[in-house]
Amino acid sequence: MTATTTAAEVTKRVPRTQDTMTHDVWLPDEIVALRAEARAAVEKRLVPFAREIGEREESVDSFPWGAFRGLADEGLFAVPFDSEHGRGLEHPILGTCTVTEEIAYHSSSMAGVYDGQCILVPQTLSFASDAVRARLIPELVSGATAFSFATTEPETSSDLTAERMCTVAEETAGGFVVNGRKRWITNSVVAGWVSVLVRAGSGSNRATMLLVDLASPGIRIGTPDLKMGHRGQITADIVFTDVFVPRANLLGAAGDGLSVALSALVRGRIGVGAAGVGVAQAALDLAVDRLRTRHVFGAPLGAMQHWQFTMAQRATEIECARTLYQKAATLLDRGDRSAEPEAAMAKAYGTRLANDIVREAIQIHGALGFARQVSESGESVRLEEMYRDAKILEIFEGANELQQWIVARRLIGRDVTG
């Protein structure tokens, strides 16, 4: 071992406690099989790149094409689609969220990429014409083209009301002319297409969702944002200046764009909740291994009752978080639109839990958990990266405070909560 050894070469692999602590009693057989398939695909296609993805600074050239297309080659981008275009699973949302958890176990930022490509965009494409779907879904499934989903703007994110939106689409002969700016848009620096929410006219209080070719004249993609974490989930502004969008690229009906966007976001929130579970599970596994192998005062650290009880509580909470996202996804797969409270719960609970357990895992590891790498030995446990990554899970696709408000409105009533 030399001081120049990379973190990716010496990162310790630990046993998965999930394999002995979790029993898939109610999970459909197709999803149990998909989890095993996804885990093997992630090991083969993502793990060799995962540490580099988490460490390198964002740039156009740093987009993780190797892992992205590798996961596509393994068939994981086909999971959300029907048999005409993809896997034809009976439970496609549950399947996609299960894959998201498996990806997030090794790379939270890559799970964010997958969320955009395989949860948000596929739902918006369900509102596209048959011709558009037939043309673009094969590009998405194969990984030949990256896709983006754009709702956030510099002055609006969780609040997507049309009155707050500054990106406007004016109707014109044969389509729409779009002007404005979208911010924090995943994959935008390499994407071919974006599903974008716009105000339906400068004086309108309605929104429209459009599918926009990012090679269109008048589009400028900004420089990649430099973020604390999720460095593999590269984001940048998209600026629209008199961009013509054909009417054939309308997603849903003009003026009904908010419902299209929200139908994608409720699925995305379940996916982010699943990503939180994946991160939490990885942190728990690292913590348990360290409790077994680190000795203090002549005994394993795990002999201390404080950590025994803390980890037992966290294992219980992971089981609850996993069940929440699975329940929410199953409801949507059954066509039950009442899954909104469960989706909000899954997102808020799973992502907060990820942050809590990563923080505790760092505490258990001490300075080794705080370090990116020990220079003399090359040791690294990736918790520093996981801590940077976990925070954004509480923020994007609807901040956790918004999720709590969604639950409170259903619980107490909108007449009281507003």
Side-chain angles (χ1 to χ4, degrees):
M1 186 80 64
T2 69
T4 59
T5 304
T6 66
E9 292 173 316
V10 297
T11 300
K12 184 176 182 180
R13 302 296 297 276
V14 300
R16 290 202 185 207
T17 60
Q18 180 183 354
D19 293 339
T20 56
M21 297 297 296
T22 298
H23 301 90
D24 293 322
V25 177
W26 309 117
L27 210 60
D29 289 344
E30 68 173 6
I31 304 302
V32 175
L34 177 62
R35 183 187 290 281
E37 178 189 341
R39 186 171 298 184
V42 168
E43 286 283 346
K44 177 182 177 182
R45 299 292 197 162
L46 171 58
V47 169
F49 303 102
R51 292 310 304 277
E52 182 185 359
I53 290 170
E55 292 172 353
R56 64 192 178 194
E57 189 170 278
E58 298 95 329
S59 70
V60 174
D61 293 336
S62 72
F63 183 78
W65 281 116
F68 181 87
R69 288 187 170 140
L71 295 175
D73 288 346
E74 296 294 326
L76 297 187
F77 288 8
V79 171
F81 295 104
D82 58 23
S83 57
E84 181 181 359
H85 299 291
R87 293 289 190 96
L89 294 176
E90 185 179 353
H91 302 87
I93 301 171
L94 178 58
T96 309
C97 291
T98 300
V99 174
T100 302
E101 180 191 343
E102 290 298 321
I103 292 172
Y105 186 92
H106 289 287
S107 174
S108 182
S109 62
M110 198 64 203
V113 173
Y114 185 78
D115 171 64
Q117 183 84 358
C118 293
I119 298 181
L120 298 176
V121 171
Q123 177 59 18
T124 64
L125 287 177
S126 71
F127 293 88
S129 68
D130 290 343
V132 168
R133 286 171 55 81
R135 175 187 172 192
L136 293 186
I137 291 178
E139 293 186 28
L140 187 156
V141 168
S142 69
T145 302
F147 286 72
S148 288
F149 175 88
T151 58
T152 301
E153 298 185 0
E155 299 301 326
T156 185
S157 53
S158 294
D159 179 2
L160 295 179
T161 54
E163 294 86 350
R164 293 281 298 162
M165 205 168 298
C166 295
T167 304
V168 177
E170 300 286 359
E171 292 205 41
T172 188
F176 306 84
V177 175
V178 179
N179 285 278
R181 179 188 296 265
K182 292 294 180 179
R183 177 152 291 174
W184 309 121
I185 308 307
T186 297
N187 296 348
S188 57
V189 297
V190 295
W193 295 83
V194 60
S195 300
V196 57
L197 187 67
V198 297
R199 184 189 288 195
S202 55
S204 174
N205 62 356
R206 305 282 294 180
T208 291
M209 182 71 84
L210 299 172
L211 183 64
V212 181
D213 183 347
L214 286 173
S216 301
I219 289 180
R220 181 176 67 83
I221 307 298
T223 302
D225 304 310
L226 303 180
K227 310 185 300 299
M228 179 173 76
H230 263 223
R231 294 179 180 177
Q233 185 180 4
I234 301 172
T235 64
D237 285 14
I238 303 178
V239 181
F240 302 88
T241 303
D242 294 331
V243 176
F244 176 74
V245 181
R247 182 165 291 276
N249 290 9
L250 181 64
L251 297 170
D256 287 342
L258 184 59
S259 64
V260 176
L262 292 179
S263 73
L265 287 169
V266 72
R267 288 158 174 78
R269 287 163 185 167
I270 302 171
V272 175
V277 172
V279 173
Q281 184 70 63
L284 181 76
D285 292 350
L286 287 167
V288 167
D289 180 76
R290 188 64 170 171
L291 289 172
R292 290 179 53 82
T293 58
R294 181 184 183 187
H295 284 68
V296 294
F297 304 114
L301 184 58
M304 292 186 172
Q305 192 176 73
H306 166 77
W307 287 120
Q308 293 174 13
F309 285 9
T310 299
M311 291 298 101
Q313 179 66 27
R314 293 310 190 194
T316 303
E317 291 170 342
I318 288 176
E319 188 70 6
C320 293
R322 183 175 286 119
T323 301
L324 261 177
Y325 93 67
Q326 290 174 343
K327 179 182 178 182
T330 300
L331 282 169
L332 287 176
D333 280 329
R334 291 176 178 175
D336 187 341
R337 297 189 58 173
S338 66
E340 186 181 56
E342 286 91 346
M345 290 176 184
K347 199 274 185 183
Y349 189 73
T351 60
R352 177 180 58 80
L353 185 61
N355 281 268
D356 288 346
I357 301 182
V358 172
R359 184 176 60 251
E360 288 168 349
I362 291 174
Q363 191 73 13
I364 288 167
H365 281 77
L368 181 60
F370 185 73
R372 295 197 303 273
Q373 184 178 4
V374 181
S375 295
E376 286 296 315
S377 66
E379 293 172 272
S380 174
V381 290
R382 77 186 180 98
L383 284 166
E384 178 269 343
E385 172 195 329
M386 291 168 66
Y387 201 32
R388 289 187 288 104
D389 282 354
K391 184 56 197 173
I392 191 61
L393 299 177
E394 297 185 300
I395 297 171
F396 68 179
E397 291 190 34
N400 281 5
E401 292 80 6
L402 174 64
Q403 308 312 312
Q404 302 287 32
W405 183 52
I406 290 170
V407 175
R409 285 195 302 174
R410 183 67 66 91
L411 180 67
I412 301 170
R414 296 190 180 193
D415 58 324
V416 173
T417 62

